[in-house]
Structures are given as structure tokens and as C-alpha cells.
């Protein structure tokens, strides 16, 4: 594993940096430092902790034309004893490498990925917010930097981690969902399971439509039959039907969410029944109408759990959940937040303590 070189000007910058705002928002503030690693000649050359700064990229860098890019999103929480902990970062490290393989990009050894995350967290410790639901959001990403217009995998890459002290994304408000029945985002055999920018770019037109129609989130259906629920643009989906928690089974068109897995584990531990299977939009809408679907929610690192208030269909029909702040979704949300914040014992390996530094 390569040691992360610490640049003194980065340390000076972060030491002096404070935020005096109780409304942190999401991604509004950045820690003034970043990790940067360079890949060339078939290997990772070096890892540095640098001052946060704009990148200088050649206009013909492949990422700017062909979208060879991947990223991750994960959170660091302050526990009541003031120590700070990443939440299940090994899962992000593994998923980052899955994305890298699909996008013809180099993997980063998991221990190297975790070490780089730990260094930026350790130096940003005083920027990890204190209040329940707040966190330091980490955004590791990799871009193709080889210069040239040829459509082929890059042989040079930059890996960067930036960190943002953040509030909660939705703060538990319930969300109006627009069912996207026309556009598709990910096809079988494609890159849906990879966390790559193109998947999000493909969702933006529908996002604009979603907002125009007064909704908050777009729901994606499968691209073959336009019938089965896949996920939201940035979150996985769950419904509570006949008292059972149902979520679409993972396929290569769905992102394997860390929050989704954690919710399944917590719910199973609470002796709730969880089904991972094909879930059609008709089953959910019929369930909302006849009362068998009592709750629906979406989940992801940023929002944790956001309950669904209603679904809007293409024909304008609105299906309103009887109980938007559902009992089961709120119970799971509270438990997950308590585990993340160190207010409840975590299952083995879920919290990753960040070492103390004196600098
Ligand atoms: C498309 C998509 N699905 C699901 C998720 C939820 O994944 P996680 O719980 O790992 O944040 C995300 C967020 O990263 C996402 O972008």
C-alpha cells in the first residue's frame, strides 16, 4: 500500500477552517483539503493530501468526451464520545472496484481506498458535524485523463476524494414520486449496477419533468417490459405490502445500495419479513388503492430513508399512501440513524473508527 503524502499547506488550510452555519445543506460546504492519486504506466503512482483546488484538465481528456468516470458516496459520523466513524466503507471500496471493472478503469486495492478515506477524515475531524442526522459526506471519484479523441479506454486516471460537512438530505419529509413510464435509464447488460456519471446524466431530463409536475423523485421501471420497479435516480426502493417489506431483487440494472443492505439486515434482525423479488408498479399501485400497501420508502446514503407520500402516474392519476410517515419506515430509519451515530450498538464491522491525529 502507498503511504498518503501529507502536504503541509493542506494541513495549514484545514486547521484554520471552520463553518459557522447551522444550515449545512447537502454538498454546500467542502473541507478545504482533498486526496489526489495519479494512475499512469499501469499502476497507482502516488497518493497525496492536498489543498482543495480546481483541476487543470486538457480539453481532450477522455472523461470530458466519453464519460469514463466512476464515483462513490459515503458518510462519516460523530459519536457521543466525540470519536468519528465511517459507515461500512468496505462496501463502498468493493463497489468502487466493481464499477471500475465495468468501466475499464483500474481498481484501487481496498486497503488503499480505505486508507485514503481515513486520511481525509482524520484531517477533517473538526468538520464532522455534531447533530444527529448530520455527517461528513465523502465523495471518492475517478476520471479518465488520457488526452486524445480516440474512443478507447484511457491509460491515465485521477482518483480524488473530497469531503463535505452535510446536514440531512431530506430530514425525513415524505416524497412525491413520479413514475417514469417512457424514458429508460439502464438496460440489461449495461452499466446500471456501476456508479458512473452516465447513469445520472441519463436521468436528468426525467428529473426536470418530475420537478415540473410537482414531484420530488423519479421512479425507474425496467427497460424491457416497463413494468417492474428498479430504483430511483439516486436511491433504492422498498414497499410494505401485507405487512411484508418488499424490495426489487438486485439485477445488473440496479445499484447494490449499502443502505438497502443495511435496512434488510436491520429488518431481518427485528423479525420483520423481507422479500427481495420482482415488484411490479401495478402491484404497488393496486396495493395503495386497496390498502394492502401501507408504506413505501426510498433509501440511500444521502437521505437514509425517505418515506413516499404519493405516486404520480403518466395519466395524471395520483396514488396517495395512507400513512406517509409509516411506522415501519420510521422504525427502520431511527434504528439506522442511531447505529450510524453510535447511539446504539452496531452489528460487527458496520462502524469503522477513524484514528486520532494531533496536528
Ligand atoms: C442509483 C442509486 N441507487 C441507489 C443508491 C443508494 O445506494 P447507497 O445506499 O449505497 O447510497 C444510490 C446512491 O448512491 C444511487 O445513486
Amino acid at each position: 500500500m502507498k503511504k498518503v503524502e501529507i502536504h503541509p499547506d493542506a494541513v495549514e488550510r484545514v486547521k484554520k477552517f471552520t463553518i459557522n452555519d447551522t444550515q449545512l445543506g447537502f454538498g454546500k460546504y467542502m473541507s478545504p483539503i482533498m486526496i489526489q492519486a495519479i494512475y499512469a504506466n499501469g499502476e497507482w503512482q502516488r497518493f497525496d493530501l492536498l489543498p482543495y483546488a480546481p483541476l487543470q484538465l486538457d480539453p481532450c481528456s477522455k472523461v470530458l468526451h466519453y464519460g469514463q468516470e466512476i464515483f462513490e458516496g459515503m458518510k462519516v459520523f460523530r459519536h457521543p464520545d466525540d470519536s468519528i466513524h465511517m459507515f461500512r466503507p468496505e462496501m463502498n471500496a468493493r463497489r468502487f472496484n466493481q464499477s471500475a471493472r465495468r468501466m475499464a478503469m483500474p481498481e484501487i486495492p481496498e486497503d488503499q481506498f480505505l486508507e485514503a478515506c481515513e486520511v481525509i477524515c482524520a484531517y477533517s475531524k473538526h468538520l464532522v458535524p455534531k447533530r444527529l442526522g448530520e455527517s461528513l459526506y465523502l465523495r471518492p471519484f475517478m476520471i479518465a485523463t488520457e488526452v486524445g479523441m480516440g474512443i478507447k479506454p484511457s491509460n491515465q486516471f485521477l482518483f480524488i476524494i473530497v469531503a463535505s460537512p452535510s446536514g440531512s438530505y431530506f430530514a425525513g419529509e415524505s416524497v412525491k414520486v413520479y413514475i417514469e413510464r417512457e424514458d429508460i435509464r439502464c438496460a440489461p447488460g449495461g452499466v446500471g449496477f456501476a456508479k458512473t456519471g452516465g447513469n445520472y446524466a441519463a436521468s436528468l431530463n426525467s428529473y426536470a419533468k418530475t420537478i415540473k409536475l410537482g414531484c420530488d423523485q423519479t421512479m425507474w421501471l425496467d427497460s424491457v417490459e416497463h413494468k417492474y420497479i428498479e430504483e430511483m435516480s439516486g436511491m433504492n426502493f422498498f414497499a410494505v405490502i401485507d405487512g411484508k417489506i418488499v424490495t426489487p431483487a438486485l439485477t445488473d440494472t440496479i445499484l447494490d445500495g449499502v443502505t438497502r443492505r443495511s435496512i434488510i439486515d436491520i429488518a431481518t434482525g427485528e423479525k420483520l419479513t423481507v422479500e427481495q423479488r420482482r415488484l411490479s408498479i401495478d402491484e404497488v399501485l393496486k396495493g395503495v388503492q386497496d390498502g394492502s400497501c401501507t408504506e413505501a420508502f426510498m433509501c440511500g446514503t444521502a437521505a437514509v430513508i425517505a418515506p413516499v407520500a404519493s405516486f404520480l402516474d403518466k395519466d395524471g392519476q395520483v396514488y396517495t399512501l395512507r400513512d406517509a410517515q409509516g411506522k415501519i419506515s420510521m422504525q427502520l430509519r431511527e434504528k439506522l440513524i442511531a447505529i450510524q451515530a453510535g447511539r446504539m450498538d452496531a452489528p460487527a464491522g458496520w462502524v469503522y473508527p477513524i484514528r486520532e491525529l494531533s496536528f
Side-chain angles (χ1 to χ4, degrees), residues 95 185 195 200 231 233-236 255 257-259 299-301:
R95 191 170 69 188
R185 193 197 50 148
K195 212 161 160 56
Y200 300 84
E231 59 181 332
S233 299
M235 284 182 270
N236 293 113
L255 193 82
V258 177
T259 320
C299 70
T301 296

Side-chain angles (χ1 to χ4, degrees), residues 80-94:
D81 67 0
D82 229 28
S83 58
I84 60 166
H85 300 253
M86 291 193 276
F87 183 70
R88 308 190 80 176
E90 292 94 345
M91 299 189 79
N92 298 90
R94 219 170 299 143

Side-chain angles (χ1 to χ4, degrees), residues 239-261:
V240 180
I241 302 174
D242 292 327
K244 295 180 195 144
I245 302 175
V246 188
T247 189
L250 293 178
T251 64
D252 65 356
T253 55
I254 297 177
L255 193 82
D256 180 358
V258 177
T259 320
R260 175 185 179 280
R261 280 187 184 236

Side-chain angles (χ1 to χ4, degrees), residues 121-167:
C121 293
Y123 281 92
S124 303
K125 180 175 176 182
H126 61 293
L127 301 177
V128 180
K130 288 194 166 52
R131 290 184 302 184
L132 194 63
E134 296 179 337
S135 60
L136 183 72
Y137 181 80
L138 297 186
R139 172 54 62 89
F141 64 100
M142 194 199 310
I143 57 173
T145 50
E146 186 187 337
V147 175
M149 289 293 187
I151 306 177
K152 62 184 175 72
S154 177
N155 58 21
Q156 285 170 27
F157 297 89
L158 264 188
F159 170 68
I160 291 174
I161 310 177
V162 294
S164 170
S166 294

Side-chain angles (χ1 to χ4, degrees), residues 175-234:
V175 169
K176 293 181 190 155
V177 169
Y178 174 65
I179 305 163
E180 177 54 84
R181 294 222 184 231
E182 285 164 338
D183 286 3
I184 62 144
R185 193 197 50 148
C186 298
V191 299
F193 69 92
K195 212 161 160 56
T196 183
N199 289 333
Y200 300 84
S203 76
L204 296 178
N205 190 39
S206 295
Y207 178 78
K209 189 162 51 171
T210 297
I211 298 300
K212 208 163 148 200
L213 290 166
C215 292
D216 310 292
Q217 284 285 317
T218 315
M219 169 181 270
W220 295 96
L221 304 180
D222 77 281
S223 61
V224 179
E225 297 176 72
H226 295 246
K227 193 168 157 190
Y228 295 99
I229 297 172
E230 302 227 301
E231 59 181 332
M232 322 308 288
S233 299

